């Protein structure tokens, strides 16, 4: 574990709800939180009951009246303090993220810093998001006013316990909403630390609510009449369910789903750049990120680049360079998927199964990087989101065939191309069926102020979850038209 020293707690950590500004253990059914590093129970929480959800949203609604009327600059000053506290506490927060999600400490720190980038974007809104006002006719002025929605909800996945919530917390709260957060039941410990940081920063009671639990807690939140908007990030199956449920109540919803990201590798790609970029994409966070490479579309003669990918992946040892898989069941699912791919004709060129656990971590959930070559289009390994460090290589004759395979996949989060040819890169950028495209970038996450979001089955709803495309999701734009004096020369508009 040389450069990845995670501290394990000596006692099981508690993971309370945050209701009306008070921490509460709750009264619902208890559940355990396991560390993927050693399989030990590291925390315990309870499912928020429907009474607790009602109580929490009642308190949030009460807080909303004052919070939405608080001037933007005052709301922002709390978020400035929040940023300082996050940076001060980054090591504690990162350790907790790693402990419960299996990430390496470096990945956890990077997740917090990406959250800080979104926070910095939210801090800039007080200066940049000035609404327009103009005289549209003689004596008549029109203006835009951005108004908070009230109580909004966010449901987040296990794989980025801080970063994904931080896509929405800073923007939604800075814009004047009261935010109800239901973290993943697999990784809720980080939420307590983020809640503590916001309280220390001076956030008024009820502006942030944290409710733990699973599907029942989500449904109670989504169904509550005072929740005006629902953001969701997780698998496509659940994203669709939550989107349908929220919109059936007439609520706005933005639900980001799963992914099956394709990288097109062309023969002129620089081998070292492709090796590092593609291997780090499918092994980073042990393949458990929605932007991870999953399918490599190898066009023509690219054996030297594939060798470079394999060599880089071989160096990515579990426990220090690559973290753990979220659950034992997920390791079993991945092992089975690899067996199935082989039975469907794939050839294993790097086998991560039965890898030796890092010293002292035998109880953890491990799978080393795995590469399957000659995967056939249409098979499970080619189509299904596996969510682990497994790269499926499909051989393609030319770029058109590669794009056809990429386009036929139901997801649409990310796609990349590795090439030195600008015209080929442009063909991929124009024709890939994905919301985020990379050129010689394995994980093409847009940085602020650019927005994050996919298309097709990777996103249900309109807009993106971060950046400028998210502002209208978290607010209403009121149009105010004003006249103070009768005009002698009035026309039909006056
Ligand atoms: P998940 O869908 O299992 O869970 C996400 C959230 O939904 C959790 O908070 C969970 O408690 C809740 N939930 C689970 N079942 C539910 C149900 N029946 N009804 C209502 N809510 C329910 O996802 P996960 O396993 O935590 O995360 C991994 C998935 O998330 C992958 O598919 C990954 O691609 C996706 N993801 C997507 C993005 C993106 O930006 N598109 C980002 C991160 C993760």
């Amino acid at each position: 574990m040389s450069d990845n020293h995670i501290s394990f707690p000596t006692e099981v950590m508690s993971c309370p709800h945050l209701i009306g500004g008070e921490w509460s253990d709750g009264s619902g059914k208890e559940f355990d939180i396991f560390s993927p590093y050693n399989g030990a129970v590291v925390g315990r929480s309870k499912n928020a009951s429907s009474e607790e959800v009602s109580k929490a949203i009642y308190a949030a609604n009460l807080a909303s009246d004052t919070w939405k009327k608080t001037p933007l600059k005052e709301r922002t000053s709390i978020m400035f303090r929040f940023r300082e506290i996050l940076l001060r506490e980054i090591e504690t927060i990162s350790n907790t993220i790693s402990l419960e999600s299996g990430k390496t400490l470096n990945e956890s720190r990077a997740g917090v810093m990406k959250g800080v980038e979104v926070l910095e974007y939210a801090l800039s809104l007080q200066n940049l998001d000035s609404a327009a006002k103009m005289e549209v006719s003689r004596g008549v002025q029109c203006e835009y006013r951005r108004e908070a929605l009230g109580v909004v909800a966010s449901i987040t996945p296990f794989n980025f316990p801080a970063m994904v919530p931080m896509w929405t917390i800073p923007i939604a709260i800075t814009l004047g909403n009261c935010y109800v957060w239901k973290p993943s039941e697999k990784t809720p410990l980080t939420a307590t630390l983020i809640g503590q940081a916001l309280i220390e920063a001076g956030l008024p009671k009820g502006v942030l609510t944290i409710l733990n639990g699973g599907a029942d807690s989500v449904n109670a939140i989504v169904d509550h009449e005072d929740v005006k908007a629902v953001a969701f990030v997780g698998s496509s199956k659940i994203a669709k369910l939550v989107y349908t449920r929220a919109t059936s109540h007439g609520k706005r919803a933005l639900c980001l789903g799963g992914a099956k990201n394709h990288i097109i590798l062309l023969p002129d790609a620089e081998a070292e750049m492709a090796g590092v970029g593609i291997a780090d994409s499918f092994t980073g966070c042990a393949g458990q990120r929605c932007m991870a490479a999953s399918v490599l579309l190898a066009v023509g003669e690219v054996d030297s680049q594939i060798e470079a990918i394999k060599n880089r992946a071989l160096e990515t040892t579990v426990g220090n360079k690559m973290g753990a898989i979220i659950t034992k069941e997920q390791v079993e699912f991945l092992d089975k998927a690899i067996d199935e791919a082989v039975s469907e004709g794939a050839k294993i060129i790097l086998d991560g199964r039965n890898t030796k656990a890092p010293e002292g971590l035998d109880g953890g959930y491990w799978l080393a990087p795995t590469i399957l070559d000659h995967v056939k289009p249409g098979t499970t390994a080619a189509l299904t989101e596996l969510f682990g460090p497994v790269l499926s290589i499909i051989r393609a004759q030319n770029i058109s065939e590669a794009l056809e395979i990429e386009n036929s996949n139901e997801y649409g989060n990310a796609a990349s191309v590795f090439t030195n040819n600008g015209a080929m890169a442009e063909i991929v950028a124009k024709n890939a069926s994905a919301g985020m495209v990379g050129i010689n970038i394995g994980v093409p996450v847009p940085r602020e102020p650019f927005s994050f979001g996919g298309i097709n089955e990777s996103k249900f709803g309109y807009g993106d979850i971060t950046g400028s495309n998210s502002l209208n999701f978290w607010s209403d734009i009121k149009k105010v038209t004003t006249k103070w004096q009768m005009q002698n020369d009035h026309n039909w508009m006056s």
Side-chain angles (χ1 to χ4, degrees), residues 422-439:
M424 288 294 168
E426 187 54 23
I427 287 174
V428 175
K430 274 203 176 118
N431 296 293
S433 180
M436 293 167 280
V437 174
I439 295 167

Side-chain angles (χ1 to χ4, degrees), residues 156-159 182 185 215 232-235 238 257-258 290 385 387 452:
T156 54
F158 82 80
N159 66 326
K182 208 297 290 171
E185 66 276 37
F232 173 95
V233 181
S235 60
I238 311 294
C290 64
E385 179 180 42
F387 225 52
F452 184 102

Side-chain angles (χ1 to χ4, degrees), residues 119-335:
L119 174 52
E120 286 167 354
Y121 175 72
L123 295 177
S124 73
L125 293 177
Q126 59 171 346
N127 298 323
L128 296 181
D129 193 36
S130 58
K133 181 173 183 175
M134 70 184 281
E135 189 171 33
V136 290
S137 182
R138 282 174 195 272
V140 179
Q141 293 193 319
C142 265
E143 69 184 287
Y144 282 142
R145 291 185 194 175
R146 192 181 290 288
E147 295 192 344
L149 302 176
V151 180
V152 298
S154 164
I155 294 115
T156 54
F158 82 80
N159 66 326
F160 282 98
M163 185 191 81
V164 167
M166 287 288 293
W167 282 349
T168 53
I169 288 173
I171 295 174
I173 291 184
T174 302
L175 289 178
N177 299 292
C178 288
Y179 184 100
V180 177
W181 175 16
K182 208 297 290 171
S184 165
E185 66 276 37
K186 295 190 186 98
T187 57
L189 293 167
T190 306
T192 307
L193 300 181
I194 291 178
Q196 284 168 350
L198 274 162
I199 289 170
E200 188 189 332
L203 197 72
K205 288 178 181 212
V207 176
L208 175 73
T209 298
I210 301 173
L211 293 166
N212 295 303
D216 290 345
S217 311
V218 173
N219 291 341
I221 294 168
V222 171
D223 290 348
H224 197 290
E225 61 178 347
D226 289 334
V227 170
K228 303 293 180 211
V230 177
F232 173 95
V233 181
S235 60
S236 289
K237 182 178 156 215
I238 311 294
K240 209 182 227 174
L241 280 177
V242 171
Y243 180 80
T244 307
R245 193 166 187 128
T247 52
S248 76
H249 297 305
K251 300 179 185 195
R252 69 181 70 175
L254 182 59
C255 300
L256 271 53
K260 186 79 179 169
N261 304 313
H262 293 62
I263 294 189
I264 298 177
L265 176 60
L266 299 183
D268 67 349
E270 208 267 305
E272 193 191 346
M273 203 150 142
V276 172
I278 297 169
D280 290 3
S281 176
F282 90 90
T283 61
C285 302
Q288 299 163 108
R289 56 182 167 190
C290 64
M291 297 294 281
S294 186
V295 173
L296 180 67
L297 294 161
V299 178
E301 173 45 58
V302 285
D303 285 352
S304 60
Q305 292 91 338
I306 289 179
E307 195 57 24
I309 296 168
K310 185 178 158 188
N311 289 338
R312 174 78 174 184
L314 268 172
E315 289 168 14
T316 312
T317 45
V318 298
N320 53 4
K321 295 218 174 105
M322 196 177 81
I325 306 294
I326 188 68
T327 59
K328 187 163 167 272
E329 293 72 30
Q330 178 63 6
V331 176
E332 287 163 6
F333 166 80
L334 292 167
D335 284 351

Side-chain angles (χ1 to χ4, degrees), residues 87-115:
L87 294 178
R88 187 192 74 202
E89 296 299 322
I90 189 165
E91 289 307 311
T92 310
I93 297 172
S94 301
N95 193 78
T96 302
I97 295 171
S98 292
L99 194 65
E100 61 178 352
S101 72
K103 281 185 200 303
T104 65
L105 279 175
N106 278 341
E107 289 166 349
S108 299
R109 290 183 193 109
V112 176
M113 289 314 296
K114 175 65 204 172

